[in-house]
Amino acid sequence: ATKPPILTVNNIEVVYDEVILVLRGVSLSVPEGEIVALLGPNGAGKSTTLKAISGLLRTEDGEVTRGNVSFMGEEIANMAPEDIVRKGIFQVMEGRRIVEDMTVIENLRLGAYTRRDNGVKKDLDMVFDFFPRLRERTGLAGYLSGGEQQMLAISRALMARPKMILLDEPSMGLSPLLVKEVFDIIRQLNKELGITILLVEQNARMALKAASHGYIMESGKIVLDGAQEDLINNEDVKEFYLGGG
Ligand code: ATP
């Protein structure tokens, strides 16, 4: 049985610069404690959907002009991104976006910037237990390998103690071995820390393997959705997204 949704996106339209209509009525829901994949070709509007949820759309002159985004029963569309972080949603942006000329610890502290409690030190330990390799890296984040930078980007999200993480193409630019490692970590965050995950990926095969449910988006609309098994066995999904067979 599916758990109740922690996040519901209901028929949203998104416009950039007041004229460019990019999302044309997107609806999706993410059950609490699950991993949901959002797939589709370049330019379909996947990143825009994540930014509409996290509020980061506003930093690019984008706006939700119709529909609702509801998180734990509360309307959050067009709310300020730092308020959305405080409510428990953290987006890990595409391309990792760590601060290269700051140290690992300084990057991690940035993730906790919205917090007012003093558990930050304890959480640094929690993060380093989760990613032991990061503890050993005391230099600037710019010197980390691509895989380590992705882990740092995810760790930084953990420092905000999120209930839900939005991940934008975490496998981008990584070798197959590291892709597997990053997906193992995603599963662990979900299983061990109970974090709900909405995952945007080009690597549809890996994403569907990790997710309980998937949505496929084309040209600003959801064109197909279903449970993991249904999508993996769907002929169109196989042909267009899983490379045939
Ligand atoms: P990709 O995998 O290439 O990132 P995507 O599915 O995530 O693709 P989006 O990045 O959401 O797609 O882009 C959807 C559409 O919105 C594209 O046509 C893009 O050119 C346009 N777009 C994205 N960001 C902006 C922006 N800040 N201003 C104007 N148009 C934008």
Side-chain angles (χ1 to χ4, degrees):
T2 325
K3 285 159 235 139
I6 190 168
L7 176 85
T8 310
V9 173
N10 178 30
N11 203 25
I12 56 168
E13 249 178 32
V14 165
V15 170
Y16 283 112
D17 300 320
E18 297 186 352
V19 285
I20 312 164
L21 177 65
V22 171
L23 299 190
R24 309 153 182 274
V26 168
S27 299
L28 58 84
S29 77
V30 180
E32 177 152 26
E34 297 199 6
I35 301 178
V36 170
L38 178 58
L39 311 171
N42 284 327
K46 305 180 299 296
S47 300
T48 298
T49 303
L50 294 190
K51 288 175 199 161
I53 298 166
S54 66
L56 290 174
L57 203 56
R58 288 167 41 133
T59 65
E60 296 184 24
D61 281 317
E63 195 187 358
V64 178
T65 50
R66 200 183 75 192
N68 323 87
V69 180
S70 155
F71 181 65
M72 299 174 74
E74 201 177 343
E75 177 62 30
I76 59 167
N78 298 322
M79 211 178 244
E82 60 272 23
D83 292 334
I84 295 177
V85 168
R86 278 194 200 99
K87 292 195 183 298
I89 301 180
F90 200 103
Q91 177 169 358
V92 178
M93 291 210 278
E94 193 177 328
R96 307 190 269 275
R97 308 284 179 97
I98 56 150
V99 186
E100 298 194 351
D101 54 7
M102 287 170 77
T103 63
V104 167
I105 294 221
E106 285 167 343
N107 268 278
L108 290 172
R109 287 192 180 279
L110 280 183
Y113 81 103
T114 55
R115 289 178 45 187
R116 299 187 175 111
D117 60 293
N118 47 21
V120 173
K121 177 140 193 337
K122 207 173 94 228
D123 286 358
L124 280 172
D125 283 336
M126 179 269 290
V127 161
F128 286 139
D129 286 344
F130 222 84
F131 298 95
R133 233 190 303 162
L134 287 182
R135 198 195 294 271
E136 296 154 21
R137 301 287 184 268
T138 50
L140 297 182
Y143 294 124
L144 298 176
S145 70
E148 289 167 345
Q149 289 187 13
Q150 185 58 268
M151 286 169 201
L152 178 56
I154 293 172
S155 312
R156 192 168 58 185
L158 292 182
M159 292 299 294
R161 290 219 163 246
K163 297 184 181 70
M164 177 169 191
I165 294 184
L166 313 177
L167 281 171
D168 200 350
E169 306 220 11
S171 79
M172 192 168 63
L174 300 182
S175 68
L177 198 69
L178 282 175
V179 170
K180 194 184 162 296
E181 211 173 302
V182 164
F183 272 95
D184 286 343
I185 285 164
I186 293 169
R187 270 187 278 258
Q188 257 180 297
L189 296 180
N190 176 248
K191 277 222 163 60
E192 291 171 24
L193 303 178
I195 297 173
T196 306
I197 293 171
L198 178 58
L199 173 66
V200 161
E201 257 301 331
Q202 291 288 330
N203 192 330
R205 190 179 294 277
M206 290 297 278
L208 281 180
K209 248 169 74 183
S212 62
H213 199 94
Y215 288 85
I216 296 184
M217 191 167 195
E218 286 171 15
S219 308
K221 280 179 178 286
I222 303 290
V223 292
L224 187 66
D225 83 280
Q228 177 200 48
E229 319 79 73
D230 299 338
L231 290 179
I232 288 176
N233 294 317
N234 179 292
E235 291 305 322
D236 289 337
V237 174
K238 279 195 214 170
E239 183 177 348
F240 295 110
Y241 293 99
L242 302 175

